[in-house]
Amino acid sequence: MTTDQSATGGPHPAADRSAASGSDAPASPSSGPTNSTDAARGNVSDPAGPASDTGGGTAPTAGAAAAARSSDKDPATGDARGTSGRDNDRPGTVSGTGDAKAGDAPNSGDARTRLGDAGTKPGDAGTSDDVTTDGDVKAAAGDGRAENADGRDRKDGAAEDGAAKAGTDKAGTDKAGDSKESGKAEEGGKEAGKPDRWAAFASAPEPRPSWVRRAARAVGRVLIHEWTLATLGSLALAVLMTWPTLRYPLHTLPQDYWDPSLQAWQMAWSGHILLTNPAQLWQSNTFFPEDWSFAFSDTLLGYAPAGMIGTGPEAAVLRYNIMFVLAHALATLGAYALARQLGAGRIGGAVAGVGYAYAPWLLAQAGHLHVISNGGIPLALAMLARGHGYSFRHGYRPERRHDGWVYTGWLVAAWQLSLGFGIGLPFAYFLGGTVVVATVTWYVRRTWFWAVKRPFGRRLLAADLVGGLLFAGVGALLAVPYFTVKEQHPQAERTVGDIGIFSPPASGFFTAPAESRIWGELHEGARAALPWHPEMTLLPGFVLYALAAGGLFFSVWKLRHRLLLLAGVVVTMVLAMGTRFFDGTYTYVPLFEHLPGWSGLRTPGRLMLWTTLLLGLLAAGAVSAFATRVREICAERIPSWPGPWLRLATLLPLVLVIAEGLNVTPHPVVPQQPAAMRTVDGPLLVLPSSQNLDQPVMLWSTTRFQDVVNGGSGFTPHQLDEVRRVTLSFPDQTSVDYLRILGVRNVLLMRDQIAGTPWEVTVDVPVDGLGITREEIGQVVVYRL
């Protein structure tokens, strides 16, 4: 709609006014003010007649056409209003037909267009009735200014009209030049002394919380975060699944007290020597007088910070038990993080984490903390994938790259390598192979297949280079002592024949160890058929097998990822069989002969760790797809809240995997430290001596860390073999002279362990003439050479 109204402030050229009104009538300027009522009457009676200008001039209007347009409906209210008449009912100006309503003749000339009808109260022009809302009305001036067609500043224009009306009503004269200012001043004066009566109904302002409440809210947000709950859940589950490890943590060790005693000593030694004399780290107090004796087996060097806390055997046992539980928790959390990063749901990630940490075959490794401590592998992979913005479900997303996660991932990988090469060496080769494959794939796709070059970034490249060099540097530094030991003790190197002794048959993948609560007794016959069942019972779990098989057909992973995971499962299983798979000629033996350090791995069955991880990822894809389908079904229900049976259905795979990991692992009491070990100086020899008996002796030495000839490891040095052979006749002149030459000062003979040995007869033989003294300290006979 168009209202033929000129803007306030003075006359405009006749041609402009004629164009604005759409009329061909000539415009005659007026030199003085015109009576509003007369002008209104004249304009209504003659559609083409002149209209008074607010600035004192006259302008032609559209006549009947404007009156007809004034009867359009107001889109906001649905009522037909004469917008032209109401919007332009200012003193000295009447355009259109006045208050013509819908249904009235456009030329009726309603006589109600009085000054009073125009809204004489200040501010009336700002109401919704006085402003057109269809967005088509223009307050057209002669030069086309002050347009309101787009709906902007309508209220300002209406307030100007209202102010002009109020000023004219009071003064009786036309004051167009200052009508807007006078209207605003009068309206402000009217409302200045009044409080807003609607303020009482407004909502009260929210009080600013105190710092205590803000801190409590921040802590609450942290506590309910997914990763906080995952960490706490992993810890709680670890305590329950390893129980009763923490029932008597000062006096018992899981499975047996032989290898756990050795590893408890390793943590204690690394912490002690790094605080006192780091240069002597590899020259331990055991296997005296051998050099590099700390490298005779995996060192658990990454646990050295824990070894700095406490002294003595009880502290070492407590430390071992705590790290044993934490290792299970870290394995659960690491595999969960990897599955989640790759795109699995929460329940699927939990299945992967629990299946990886509590697979039945790992129950046979409860006495090998360096095997149980494998959580750094999936955790490092998850961090590296996160830093590179990669997942199975979404592929490579450059916007999610973060070099901080890459640095952290490489650091965690280096820490995992420091726990031992038995698990860390295959991990190192896997990382190296992954880097090579990823680099080649990236280059080929970027060069030949992708039209759009997807970014990688210099910072991410620098993080990979620095992190990779750090990882390689840690590996090289740790490898130097082991290569030195290999040169000094050739018998420490494994042979293909040694590998064959520990290589499991295919039936081992379906046989559970005796420590399994569910399958232990049922598989007793199958274990009897295995030559060395502690390293050959490799069942990862029948539930995990089933879920992984389902994940090949129903999964959130893409088909190519499922096939890749399946290929990994097959390859790692074949390698875990060692020489049992066609004599390992094209599988394990080439690795054994050509990869540096691989010949130091005597138990190929421990590669089952990678099989378990890959099976867990396949299972996570299946469980995640199942949980997604359950949510879709629930969304179709009214109300869309899953019932208890549907909830139970999503949790059932997790419950079954947990149940299959239950154990009956024994927790024997550690032999008590003899009082003589707290008082007798070294170098000393404890008799009887053997692989199993020497490992508790290493633990007893953690009070003073005096030099001891005893020691247990993956191999036995020739020197220790010779000592054990010569001392079978101790005390006699030959053995005494041999020990003196070796540098031994004291010999401790354990009365409670000599039954059935030569010392059972010679323990009470007089030592006169040998130049030595004899002393009884409890159950120990101390010979001072």
Side-chain angles (χ1 to χ4, degrees), residues 91 120-123 159-190:
T120 58
K121 291 192 293 181
E160 183 180 348
D161 291 348
K165 293 176 188 177
T168 306
D169 207 10
K170 289 181 67 179
T173 60
D174 185 8
K175 298 181 180 180
D178 58 353
S179 60
K180 181 175 180 180
E181 288 76 4
S182 65
K184 286 184 177 180
E186 188 167 342
E187 182 178 0
K190 180 178 179 181

Side-chain angles (χ1 to χ4, degrees), residues 54-291:
T54 57
T58 61
T61 63
R69 285 193 299 271
S70 70
S71 64
D72 291 343
K73 269 190 179 181
D74 187 342
T77 62
D79 297 332
R81 289 188 178 90
T83 56
S84 296
R86 300 194 64 166
D87 284 346
N88 300 293
D89 245 352
R90 294 186 294 181
T93 302
V94 176
S95 62
T97 62
D99 270 26
K101 298 182 179 179
D104 294 342
N107 298 327
S108 61
D110 195 341
R112 288 178 295 173
T113 55
R114 301 186 302 272
L115 284 175
D117 280 345
T120 58
K121 291 192 293 181
D124 281 355
T127 64
S128 60
D129 290 336
D130 296 323
V131 183
T132 59
T133 59
D134 60 356
D136 295 331
V137 178
K138 296 183 180 180
D143 56 357
R145 293 177 296 176
E147 292 185 353
N148 286 330
D150 59 352
R152 294 175 297 176
D153 300 326
R154 296 172 187 267
K155 290 188 179 181
D156 291 342
E160 183 180 348
D161 291 348
K165 293 176 188 177
T168 306
D169 207 10
K170 289 181 67 179
T173 60
D174 185 8
K175 298 181 180 180
D178 58 353
S179 60
K180 181 175 180 180
E181 288 76 4
S182 65
K184 286 184 177 180
E186 188 167 342
E187 182 178 0
K190 180 178 179 181
E191 297 181 357
K194 281 186 177 182
D196 187 359
R197 58 182 178 179
W198 302 108
F201 296 93
S203 59
E206 184 177 354
R208 179 178 175 81
S210 64
W211 68 270
V212 176
R213 180 165 293 184
R214 293 197 302 271
R217 289 178 179 176
V219 172
R221 287 192 295 269
V222 171
L223 290 178
I224 63 174
H225 196 276
E226 176 187 354
W227 294 109
T228 303
L229 297 177
T231 302
L232 296 177
S234 299
L235 289 171
L237 186 63
V239 172
L240 294 175
M241 295 295 285
T242 60
W243 191 260
T245 298
L246 295 183
R247 185 177 183 182
Y248 304 109
L250 295 173
H251 308 289
T252 63
L253 286 171
Q255 197 173 52
D256 57 58
Y257 56 76
W258 299 315
D259 283 353
S261 294
L262 162 64
Q263 294 172 329
W265 166 82
Q266 288 173 330
M267 284 189 284
W269 168 256
S270 60
H272 161 75
I273 201 64
L274 289 177
L275 288 175
T276 56
N277 190 4
Q280 296 298 313
L281 171 64
W282 301 101
Q283 317 301 328
S284 74
N285 70 311
T286 59
F287 294 99
F288 177 85
E290 299 284 356
D291 294 329

Side-chain angles (χ1 to χ4, degrees), residues 46 88 129 136 171 186 265 313 319-320 379 452 505 532 551 564 610 677 739 742 753:
D46 185 6
N88 300 293
D129 290 336
D136 295 331
E186 188 167 342
W265 166 82
R319 186 185 303 116
Y320 180 93
L379 185 60
V452 179
W532 185 251
L564 184 64
W610 292 91
M677 290 294 297
L739 293 175
L742 200 61
Q753 297 180 8

Side-chain angles (χ1 to χ4, degrees), residues 537-574:
T537 50
L538 301 180
L539 175 68
F542 290 111
V543 175
L544 197 62
Y545 275 143
L547 293 175
L552 294 174
F553 305 97
F554 179 68
S555 177
V556 295
W557 310 136
K558 297 180 177 66
L559 178 60
R560 66 175 183 272
H561 294 139
R562 283 178 262 168
L563 295 177
L564 184 64
L565 291 173
L566 177 61
V569 168
V570 174
V571 169
T572 54
M573 277 187 163
V574 168

Side-chain angles (χ1 to χ4, degrees), residues 511-512 519-530:
T511 306
W519 307 113
E521 294 184 1
L522 296 175
H523 291 183
E524 185 174 358
R527 285 194 304 273
L530 299 175

Side-chain angles (χ1 to χ4, degrees), residues 433-443:
T434 301
V435 169
V436 172
V437 171
T439 303
V440 172
T441 303
W442 173 267
Y443 178 78

